[in-house]
Amino acid sequence: SYQSLPPLDVTENGKEYLESEGLPVYDPDGYLKDIQSSIPEIDPIIFEYLKESIRAFNRGCTMSSAIALGVASEQMILLLYESLKGALKEQSDKKELQKADDKRIFKKHCALEAMLNKKKALLPSDIKENRDVYLSSLFHLIRLYRNEFGHPTGTSVEKSVVRVFLKGFDDYLKSLYALKDFLDSKPNQL
């Protein structure tokens, strides 16, 4: 009964989608469902910017996608910063971290990272293991692209770069949410 249909070809995007594992970046609704199921407690601001990013990506708006993904990442850092403030026990540590309260996201990230390094021995091994990769490397890389395209530099972003960020964002968020959950479970104890 299908003999009357013309032959179908699978596009390059289709081949990539069929061969890839992980989040389905060419299926925005599926991507968002997968994120929500793996991180049910996802912050609504993070989710809104992630929704904007995946939809922009699929419409070929890679600069907009990179910028929105960067904003989602920055919101995660702000949440971690607040969780760490609540977990600190020593007044001197609280004061040290709070010096970044009125600062930009980069200063808050630096203060967050410095304090977590100071408290590294108190972190569980599963959180400690790849913390530097997710909290430092990936945050800075996503932030770099967000800044590059959020300012009038005239540069363009490759779709493949944003695709990689979107595919890895699930693991990035899961790792940082594990840290946040740990910090939230230790009020005034670190």
Side-chain angles (χ1 to χ4, degrees):
S1 65
Y2 298 107
Q3 291 176 357
S4 62
L5 293 175
L8 300 173
D9 288 324
V10 178
T11 65
E12 288 304 312
N13 284 351
K15 288 176 188 175
E16 182 183 320
Y17 180 78
L18 292 170
E19 293 170 357
S20 70
E21 294 180 23
L23 292 174
V25 295
Y26 293 109
D27 172 12
D29 294 335
Y31 178 91
L32 294 168
K33 281 181 190 172
D34 283 357
I35 290 278
Q36 279 186 310
S37 68
S38 66
I39 309 165
E41 72 277 14
I42 191 167
D43 177 75
I45 294 171
I46 292 173
F47 191 73
E48 272 308 304
Y49 279 98
L50 193 53
K51 189 183 335 180
E52 188 76 16
S53 179
I54 191 69
R55 290 187 175 150
F57 174 82
N58 278 285
R59 288 183 176 95
C61 302
T62 53
M63 277 195 289
S64 296
S65 180
I67 291 167
L69 194 62
V71 175
S73 175
E74 289 178 2
Q75 174 66 7
M76 186 69 233
I77 296 304
L78 294 174
L79 293 174
L80 277 173
Y81 180 83
E82 292 301 320
S83 292
L84 180 58
K85 276 182 16 182
L88 293 175
K89 175 173 55 175
E90 302 295 328
Q91 267 320 92
S92 59
D93 289 337
K94 287 180 185 258
K95 284 182 181 178
E96 184 180 330
L97 187 67
Q98 288 173 340
K99 288 179 185 175
D101 274 0
D102 297 328
K103 306 290 186 217
R104 292 177 174 228
I105 184 73
F106 181 73
K107 294 291 185 185
K108 285 183 176 168
H109 177 268
C110 290
L112 170 70
E113 196 170 13
M115 187 57 68
L116 285 171
N117 283 335
K118 184 176 177 180
K119 302 291 183 179
K120 187 169 31 176
L122 302 174
L123 299 176
S125 59
D126 59 324
I127 290 175
K128 212 181 326 185
E129 190 173 311
N130 289 318
R131 181 182 55 85
D132 58 332
V133 171
Y134 291 108
L135 187 60
S136 295
S137 302
L138 281 175
F139 169 75
H140 285 299
L141 196 55
I142 292 169
R143 183 178 172 277
L144 173 76
Y145 275 90
R146 179 219 180 272
N147 286 345
E148 185 74 21
F149 306 113
H151 300 288
T153 61
T155 58
S156 62
V157 63
E158 293 293 323
K159 189 171 186 173
S160 60
V161 171
V162 180
R163 187 184 76 245
V164 168
F165 287 158
L166 285 166
K167 286 185 82 64
F169 207 72
D170 183 45
D171 288 334
Y172 172 77
L173 282 180
K174 281 193 270 189
S175 173
L176 296 183
Y177 262 106
L179 174 57
K180 182 184 179 322
D181 291 345
F182 171 76
L183 294 171
D184 290 343
S185 74
K186 303 289 182 192
N188 300 308
Q189 295 178 40
L190 290 184

